[in-house]
């Protein structure tokens, strides 16, 4: 199905180099695959910028929220075995969760599509819980698989969710990206998957069957691996680095704990292209794979979310995948069943729009010129009443904030303490343009209630 040529991808390579310079990205690894072979692969920059150490396909990168697709795959495996019921209440599997303040039961399926009704909460970190338990050892111990950490983390996460009276709506009504939800899913896997830890389950049921010998859910091992990346991030206008995979790590592992090399991730993508079949056998039925890819919740402009996967349209075909971002991590994988091709992009610097790189790489497979120009938007002509209906501050306990003010006779937008340019592109749709990527804000409005929230980055922020 590949119509791309090596000459045709050169402009994309030049664009990637320009983008990396703009974001001061240290290194990036990219591969395009079909069901069986690598169609294209290239390494940009360095895994260690100070020593200019090159990247290869065995270099370990963090995956951050790409891990959610592994969690969803694992849940689907247990569902196919009849161990869990996707539409069974979460409280059946995690008695610590009391389903408080919810008009209807929150199910496992709701967690898979971020539709449990939970608003974003403060991230509960590995370090925070481990310190309170006396097992932290200043981050020098491998405590990710510690069963006591998982039990205490689950107890605290469930308690926090049960104490929160505010909801996005009924379970299944709205999507709001939830690390808590995927943390609880990994605890269900730990308790019902027949292994001692979530990491052990992945190793036995995902990594080994796929031949992913450079993948792990651990923390210390990848940091000490001689072929792993430094983690680069920007603070106070300067680029810094660390090797601390515990940094900002959620206490339950299902939302972001996986690390892997490009070589291992190629096998993971090919499994989806082969409808659940891996190097050493089948991981999931074709039906299960299709269920993961089924659009269930509106996610962002032009995107829907299934079970651990986001879907959008690309040149008339489906593009399915997931991204991730944490300290020193920007990751994305995507594939198209119609194109029979997929892509992996791994970067060791925070805040780099690698999802756009993945999109352009799949566009190259179609034979189209890359990179495509950014979509241009026209102002939809909001009335003054429409503009003033969203005035105020919208925020979440996770720390995100959007504020609309009325100044000099027009609407102004501030995010993260900085005023942003924006386009009122459609009914309740705001686009934030950029040179290399663009994002959106969707106003959430109900009759008699007005604009009660906004969704940005998949997360719902409520009016304060």
């Amino acid at each position: 199905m590949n119509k791309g040529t090596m000459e045709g991808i050169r402009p994309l390579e030049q664009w990637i180099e320009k983008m990396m310079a703009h974001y001061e990205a240290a290194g990036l690894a990219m591969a395009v695959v079909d069901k069986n072979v690598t169609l294209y692969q290239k390494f940009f920059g360095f895994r260690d910028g100070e020593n200019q150490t090159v990247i290869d396909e065995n270099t370990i990168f963090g995956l951050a929220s790409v891990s959610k697709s592994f969690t969803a795959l694992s849940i689907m495996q247990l569902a196919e075995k009849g161990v869990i019921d996707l539409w069974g209440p979460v409280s059946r599997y995690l008695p610590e969760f009391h389903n408080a303040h919810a008009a209807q039961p929150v199910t496992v399926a709701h967690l898979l599509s971020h539709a449990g009704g939970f608003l974003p909460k403060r991230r509960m970190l590995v370090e925070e819980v481990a310190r309170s338990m006396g097992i932290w050892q200043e981050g020098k111990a491998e405590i990710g698989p510690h069963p006591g950490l998982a039990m205490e983390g689950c107890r605290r996460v469930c308690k926090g969710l049960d104490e929160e009276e505010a909801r996005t709506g009924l379970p299944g009504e709205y999507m709001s990206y939830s690390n808590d939800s995927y943390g609880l899913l990994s605890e269900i896997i730990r308790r019902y998957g027949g292994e001692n830890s979530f990491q052990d389950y992945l190793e036995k049921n995902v990594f080994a069957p796929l031949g992913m010998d450079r993948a792990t859910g651990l923390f210390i091992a990848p940091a000490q691996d001689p072929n792993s990346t430094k983690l680069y991030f920007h603070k106070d206008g300067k680029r810094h680095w660390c090797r601390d995979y515990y940094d900002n790590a959620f206490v339950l592992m299902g939302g972001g704990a996986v690390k892997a090399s490009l070589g291992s991730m190629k096998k993971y993508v090919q499994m989806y292209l082969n409808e659940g079949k891996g190097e050493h056998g089948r991981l999931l039925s074709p039906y299960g794979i299709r269920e993961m890819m089924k659009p269930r919740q509106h996610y962002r402009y032009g995107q829907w979310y299934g079970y651990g996967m986001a879907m959008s349209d690309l040149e008339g075909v489906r593009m399915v995948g997931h991204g991730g971002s944490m300290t020193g991590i920007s990751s994305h994988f995507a594939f198209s069943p119609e194109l029979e091709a997929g892509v992996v992009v791994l970067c060791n610097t925070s805040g780099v729009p690698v999802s756009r790189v993945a999109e352009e790489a799949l566009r190259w497979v179609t034979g189209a010129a890359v990179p495509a120009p950014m979509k241009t938007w026209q102002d939809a002509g909001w009335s003054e009443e429409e503009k003033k209906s969203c005035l105020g501050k919208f925020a979440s306990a996770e720390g995100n904030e959007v504020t609309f003010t009325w100044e000099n006779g027009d609407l102004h937008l501030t995010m993260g303490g900085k005023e942003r340019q924006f386009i009122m592109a459609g009914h309740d749709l705001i686009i934030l343009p950029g040179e290399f990527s663009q994002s959106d804000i969707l106003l959430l409005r109900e009759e008699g209630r007005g604009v009660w929230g906004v969704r940005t980055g998949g997360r719902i922020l409520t009016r304060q």
Side-chain angles (χ1 to χ4, degrees):
M1 297 293 290
N2 180 31
K3 298 179 182 179
T5 65
M6 289 302 105
E7 284 188 3
I9 207 167
R10 301 304 176 216
L12 178 59
E13 293 175 342
Q14 295 168 0
W15 179 88
I16 290 171
E17 291 169 351
K18 181 181 177 183
M19 180 206 67
M20 289 180 65
H22 178 83
Y23 289 95
E24 293 186 274
L28 184 147
M30 180 173 73
V32 182
V33 298
D34 66 11
K35 289 183 174 183
N36 303 301
V37 300
T38 301
L39 303 174
Y40 168 86
Q41 182 167 290
K42 190 171 179 67
F43 307 103
F44 301 81
F46 306 100
R47 62 178 172 86
D48 180 336
E50 286 67 34
N51 294 303
Q52 296 196 340
T53 312
V54 297
I55 301 164
D56 60 39
E57 71 168 16
N58 292 313
T59 302
I60 296 290
F61 287 79
L63 301 187
S65 285
V66 167
S67 305
K68 291 180 172 68
S69 65
F70 289 87
T71 303
L73 175 68
S74 301
I75 287 287
M76 296 301 289
Q77 289 178 330
L78 296 179
E80 285 200 346
K81 293 175 182 176
V83 175
I84 62 170
D85 175 5
L86 293 184
W87 294 103
V90 174
S91 56
R92 178 188 301 172
Y93 304 103
L94 301 175
E96 299 94 325
F97 180 68
H98 300 142
N99 210 74
H101 308 297
Q104 299 173 3
V106 177
T107 68
V108 176
H110 289 141
L111 299 187
L112 283 168
S113 57
H114 299 280
F118 309 132
L119 290 165
K121 296 185 66 61
R122 182 185 67 84
R123 186 185 290 257
M124 191 161 303
L125 303 179
V126 169
E127 179 178 352
E128 172 189 350
V129 178
R131 280 189 183 278
S132 72
M133 296 174 63
I135 61 172
W136 176 237
Q137 298 182 46
E138 299 308 313
K140 297 178 181 179
E142 190 68 80
I143 60 174
H146 194 294
L149 179 70
M151 289 292 290
E152 179 62 14
C154 179
R155 186 191 70 79
R156 294 190 186 196
V157 170
C158 289
K159 182 175 184 291
L161 293 174
D162 281 329
E163 289 177 345
E164 187 65 57
E165 294 187 27
R167 290 287 187 271
T168 64
L170 294 173
E173 187 175 2
Y174 290 102
M175 175 191 173
S176 183
Y177 196 88
S178 172
N179 284 305
D180 291 318
S181 294
Y182 268 78
L184 295 184
L185 288 171
S186 62
E187 181 61 1
I188 292 174
I189 293 164
R190 187 188 73 83
R191 294 187 189 186
Y192 292 87
E195 305 299 331
N196 292 326
S197 67
F198 176 64
Q199 150 68 16
D200 289 344
Y201 182 91
L202 290 181
E203 179 61 44
K204 181 176 180 179
N205 296 279
V206 181
F207 300 155
L210 289 177
M212 295 179 67
D213 55 359
R214 295 288 287 167
T216 182
L218 300 175
F219 290 87
I220 300 298
Q224 294 179 344
D225 192 292
N227 190 4
S228 67
T229 65
K230 285 183 176 179
L231 304 173
Y232 291 88
F233 59 97
H234 288 84
K235 184 177 181 181
D236 300 326
K238 295 182 179 180
R239 193 176 78 177
H240 305 264
W241 68 269
C242 68
R243 290 193 183 274
D244 184 8
Y245 282 104
Y246 279 125
D247 187 77
N248 209 34
F250 193 73
V251 66
L252 297 174
M253 306 301 148
V258 180
K259 299 89 183 171
S261 68
L262 186 71
S264 285
M265 283 301 294
K266 288 192 294 183
K267 297 176 181 180
Y268 183 62
V269 173
Q270 286 174 324
M271 180 270 295
Y272 287 108
L273 292 173
N274 286 288
E275 296 186 301
K277 196 179 295 183
E279 187 174 298
H280 302 297
R282 180 168 291 283
L283 279 76
L284 193 65
S285 70
Y287 172 80
I289 296 294
R290 291 195 299 271
E291 285 294 287
M292 291 180 70
M293 297 190 299
K294 187 178 292 183
R296 299 175 188 275
Q297 294 288 332
H298 185 240
Y299 182 25
R300 299 175 178 174
Y301 172 78
Q303 292 189 41
W304 291 76
Y305 204 92
Y307 291 160
M309 299 278 192
M311 302 94 204
S312 58
D313 177 85
L314 175 74
E315 302 292 338
V317 299
R318 286 178 295 170
M319 182 172 69
V320 185
H322 210 290
S325 179
M326 279 179 64
T327 304
I329 300 169
S330 296
S331 60
H332 202 92
F333 84 99
F335 62 94
S336 170
E338 290 78 19
L339 294 176
E340 297 184 307
V343 59
V344 180
V345 187
L346 304 175
C347 178
N348 61 340
T349 308
S350 306
V352 180
V354 292
S355 60
R356 174 85 192 282
V357 178
E359 178 182 325
E360 293 299 336
L362 278 182
R363 183 173 280 113
W364 168 74
V365 174
T366 71
V370 293
M374 293 291 291
K375 180 178 174 64
T376 56
W377 297 87
Q378 300 298 319
D379 191 293
W382 286 14
S383 67
E384 183 172 316
E385 181 182 1
E386 287 176 303
K387 293 177 182 179
K388 288 186 174 179
S389 70
C390 61
L391 293 179
K393 182 170 77 172
F394 301 82
S396 74
E398 199 174 25
N400 297 314
E401 186 176 302
V402 173
T403 303
F404 294 98
T405 56
W406 191 259
E407 301 175 29
N408 301 318
D410 208 353
L411 190 65
H412 290 252
L413 167 63
T414 302
M415 290 183 68
K418 296 181 180 180
E419 185 163 346
R420 298 288 300 273
Q421 291 185 330
F422 64 97
I423 302 167
M424 292 165 281
H427 175 64
D428 288 343
L429 174 66
I430 291 173
I431 297 295
L432 307 175
E435 182 179 357
F436 296 96
S437 66
Q438 57 190 15
S439 56
D440 63 274
I441 297 174
L442 179 68
L443 305 185
L444 302 174
R445 187 191 305 267
E446 290 181 2
E447 186 176 351
R449 190 181 178 189
V451 178
W452 61 270
V454 301
R455 184 163 58 207
T456 180
R459 291 162 166 83
I460 290 180
L461 318 182
T462 54
R463 188 187 287 276
Q464 304 298 294

